[in-house]
Amino acid sequence: MKINGNTIRPGNVIDHQGRLWVAVKIQHTQPGKGGAYLQVELKDIRNGTKLNERFRSSENVERVRLEEKPFQFLYAEEDMITFMDVKTYDQINLPKSAIGEGVIFLQDEMQVLINCYEGEPISVQLPPTVSLIIQETEPVMKGQTAAASYKPAILENGLNIQVPPFVESGDEIIVDTRNLEYIKKI
């Protein structure tokens, strides 16, 4: 579907220069001379490379619709991850690079969404939050308030994050998979 160049929004997937790109950031710019344009930061869906591109309102771009299918994580082996379609029970193998850094959040039987373009799996969307157990953190300091500071913690998956002072080793917490931040203690 063709859309006007200045109607691109973050999250839109477009076909540009023969490749699929997702719009990450946009900025409307009105220079003193010449017409307005939209400065768009694009990320290649397949290999993760980034590109900054200008689109004028007179330009048309091809917006791509991806099909989202629910899958369940089964197991990881070397550089490949196996998922199962929750409706048809078909299994697919994807390279770990399809998930990127989020691969550390995969847990047994986790439900994910796989984006497909013309039947080909392109990317994997993890749930926005996951529950993890704190493996190691510093003990609580007497007199330290919760708002004062955060302390480092190592999670069961090996991730290092900052947590409030009242969180202790062995506690279960909720972590945001998009920005790798502590949300709350369970």
Side-chain angles (χ1 to χ4, degrees):
M1 163 174 74
K2 292 271 188 195
I3 61 170
N4 195 297
N6 65 354
T7 60
I8 298 171
R9 299 288 173 254
N12 287 164
V13 177
I14 63 169
D15 186 347
H16 181 64
Q17 299 176 346
R19 296 175 16 197
L20 294 179
W21 303 85
V22 62
V24 179
K25 294 180 192 172
I26 63 166
Q27 180 181 352
H28 290 278
T29 304
Q30 178 77 36
K33 263 185 161 174
Y37 61 87
L38 187 67
Q39 183 75 34
V40 183
E41 182 180 315
L42 299 169
K43 182 178 176 187
D44 188 311
I45 286 184
R46 290 191 171 95
N47 63 22
T49 58
K50 290 193 175 181
L51 172 71
N52 280 309
E53 197 71 53
R54 291 180 178 177
F55 294 99
R56 300 203 178 276
S57 60
S58 60
E59 296 178 61
N60 284 330
V61 293
E62 185 69 30
R63 183 170 176 204
V64 176
R65 295 236 184 245
L66 298 179
E67 181 184 1
E68 289 183 349
K69 291 183 172 182
F71 278 79
Q72 183 180 47
F73 168 68
L74 295 179
Y75 60 90
E77 210 172 56
E78 295 175 18
D79 289 344
M80 298 300 282
I81 302 172
T82 303
F83 295 96
M84 178 183 69
D85 187 319
V86 297
K87 293 180 182 169
T88 65
Y89 303 109
D90 291 337
Q91 292 183 11
I92 63 168
N93 292 316
L94 293 177
K96 285 185 178 179
S97 61
I99 298 178
E101 295 174 0
V103 74
I104 62 172
F105 290 114
L106 287 175
Q107 299 173 347
D108 290 341
E109 300 180 10
M110 176 183 273
Q111 297 285 323
V112 298
L113 288 175
I114 295 185
N115 296 317
C116 299
Y117 177 65
E118 296 178 348
E120 176 192 352
I122 293 178
S123 63
V124 178
Q125 290 180 38
L126 295 172
T129 60
V130 294
S131 169
L132 294 164
I133 295 173
I134 295 191
Q135 203 74 30
E136 183 182 322
T137 190
E138 298 169 4
V140 177
M141 301 292 279
K142 195 168 187 167
Q144 190 175 25
T145 63
S149 63
Y150 278 68
K151 62 182 182 178
I154 300 172
L155 303 179
E156 64 182 298
N157 62 358
L159 181 67
N160 289 313
I161 67 166
Q162 296 291 316
V163 296
F166 60 85
V167 176
E168 300 173 3
S169 295
D171 286 350
E172 189 172 356
I173 62 169
I174 302 289
V175 177
D176 189 317
T177 58
R178 297 163 295 205
N179 59 19
L180 311 180
E181 290 181 356
Y182 165 88
I183 295 178
K184 68 178 182 177
K185 179 178 168 179
I186 297 179

